[in-house]
Amino acid sequence: MAKSLHSPIEQYVIDVVKKKRIEKGYSQKELAYLLEKSIGFIGDIENPNYRAKYNLNHINELAKVFDCSPRDFLPEVPL
């Protein structure tokens, strides 16, 4: 398995978003559309071989899409 190019906190956020995406039944393409991003945006982020990651603006928009708090994407304690 390839080593992730993401830090532990970045990977945590990616994993939470992916879990929420799957629970809602959104494809990567559908979530990218809801965020007004390119078709491959989510796939690039979820691929451990790419450096793409979510930033605070993305997390804020994701909270709107998933009707939750931006805090829901972060761990309770530092990693």
Side-chain angles (χ1 to χ4, degrees):
M1 185 168 161
K3 182 181 181 325
S4 175
L5 298 175
H6 301 115
S7 70
I9 186 72
E10 291 165 346
Q11 191 61 54
Y12 182 94
V13 172
I14 291 166
D15 292 343
V16 171
V17 173
K18 183 175 181 178
K19 182 176 183 246
K20 287 183 175 291
R21 176 180 68 74
I22 291 169
E23 285 173 355
K24 288 280 192 179
Y26 294 144
S27 67
Q28 292 177 344
K29 182 179 175 180
E30 288 169 323
L31 184 55
Y33 175 79
L34 291 168
L35 294 173
E36 299 180 352
K37 299 294 177 189
S38 67
I39 292 173
F41 179 74
I42 303 301
D44 287 350
I45 290 175
E46 290 182 3
N47 185 331
N49 297 317
Y50 286 68
R51 291 189 184 276
K53 58 187 173 257
Y54 296 110
N55 64 34
L56 290 174
N57 293 315
H58 298 142
I59 291 171
N60 190 60
E61 292 306 310
L62 286 160
K64 293 175 187 176
V65 168
F66 291 114
D67 192 29
C68 65
S69 169
R71 290 179 297 202
D72 292 346
F73 299 101
L74 299 172
E76 290 290 322
V77 296
L79 300 179

